Amino acid sequence: MIRAISLVLFFLSFGFSFSQDNVPLVFKGCETAENQENCSILQLAKIIRSHLNSAILPYELAENEDLTLSLRLAFYDDGSIRDNWSIIYNSVENSHEEFEPILTMIPVTLTAIKSKDENRLSSFSGFFTFKKNNGRYKVTAVSNEAQEQFKIIEKVPIVKGCKPKWSNEKIVKCNNKKINTYFESNFKLENLDFKYYVEGEIISAKVYFFIETDRSISISKIEAPEETFTNEIRRVIENYKAIETPGFIGSKGVRVPYSLPIQMVYHK
């Protein structure tokens, strides 16, 4: 059997600002620019614009209609993009899959490399607005007002049994406990194919998901050693129905990313 299921749930929410602790975002290629941060933001805008002009989007924008994308990017210590913690999405359409290829195009950031020993968060968040003109997209704004407005998730999602009057920190701890308990109780070991595992092996997996504005859960990625493990994680997470309220910024509901690392020890 597999026993000793160990779970830790992480609330993945990055601050909405173009720097952390006054450390500017600096992409490789912008280190000699007069304004390194503006150079880096321009690089991002060009990359996104290139994708918009070449990709087939699931919705058609009218001429002169604005398209605003929200970026939450995280980086490894070597400066490369951490795509499993990063997302680019259109908050109006509440969609992100069509923008995922952009993550593979983002260059190395020198900010992460230089700040990895300084205990600083290597992340970048912001809002880019594009306008369709003559069938092509052009960047029209990087919204400082939106950065200020969406600086934090003002109220995190609430799982049944946790109290709205609590602080975000207390709600997150309560959410973690409730979801972990649910996962441990509903994960069926008999659904796994044991031929893939050996005695004493530590088996690790991770699932990334969003709590949507309608309180549903959508899985963005599952990292598991084999298919039966992946399928069982998907079954358990997709059947979770205990979200009472979504995340909020002001009076507007917002989708909130989470991740759930899983560790098990296999014993025959």
Side-chain angles (χ1 to χ4, degrees), residues 7 22 41-42 53 55 59-60 70 79 90 141 150 155 180 192 194 211 213 224 229 240 256 261:
L7 304 170
N22 297 317
I41 292 172
L42 182 60
N53 285 327
Y59 39 82
E60 184 67 26
S70 171
N90 177 3
F150 291 91
K155 201 65 178 177
N180 287 347
L192 303 186
F194 297 111
I211 294 178
T213 57
F229 205 153
Y240 190 64
V256 179

Side-chain angles (χ1 to χ4, degrees), residues 2-106:
I2 295 182
R3 64 180 186 179
I5 302 177
S6 174
L7 304 170
V8 182
L9 186 67
F10 288 96
F11 170 56
L12 301 182
S13 179
F14 301 104
F16 282 78
S17 62
F18 282 121
S19 63
Q20 298 288 338
D21 298 332
N22 297 317
V23 179
L25 177 80
V26 181
F27 282 139
K28 193 171 183 180
C30 288
E31 60 268 38
T32 60
E34 183 176 350
N35 189 319
Q36 296 175 332
E37 188 170 14
N38 282 352
C39 173
S40 300
I41 292 172
L42 182 60
Q43 273 202 51
L44 269 181
K46 288 179 177 178
I47 289 169
I48 300 169
R49 184 185 63 191
S50 174
H51 177 75
L52 293 177
N53 285 327
S54 61
I56 299 176
L57 300 181
Y59 39 82
E60 184 67 26
L61 265 70
E63 282 289 300
N64 295 314
E65 184 177 354
D66 286 338
L67 170 67
T68 298
L69 300 181
S70 171
L71 279 69
R72 305 178 195 178
L73 308 179
F75 301 91
Y76 290 108
D77 286 346
D78 65 0
S80 60
I81 189 73
R82 189 166 186 167
D83 60 356
N84 55 355
W85 277 30
S86 301
I87 185 170
I88 302 176
Y89 71 101
N90 177 3
S91 56
V92 176
E93 296 288 340
N94 208 23
S95 60
H96 63 93
E97 291 87 353
E98 63 270 28
F99 306 115
E100 288 181 352
I102 295 172
L103 296 176
T104 65
M105 304 163 66
I106 294 175

Side-chain angles (χ1 to χ4, degrees), residues 102-146:
I102 295 172
L103 296 176
T104 65
M105 304 163 66
I106 294 175
V108 168
T109 174
L110 303 178
T111 305
I113 298 171
K114 291 181 179 179
S115 64
K116 66 180 180 180
D117 295 324
E118 299 176 21
N119 196 30
R120 286 170 172 159
L121 179 64
S122 297
S123 66
F124 169 90
S125 298
F127 292 81
F128 289 78
T129 299
F130 296 83
K131 188 181 291 291
K132 192 174 184 181
N133 185 259
N134 293 325
R136 306 286 290 176
Y137 288 96
K138 297 181 180 180
V139 63
T140 59
V142 178
S143 178
N144 291 326
E145 181 180 352

Side-chain angles (χ1 to χ4, degrees), residues 241-254:
K241 308 296 183 183
I243 307 298
E244 289 201 324
T245 61
F248 278 91
I249 296 173
S251 60
K252 183 178 180 179
V254 292

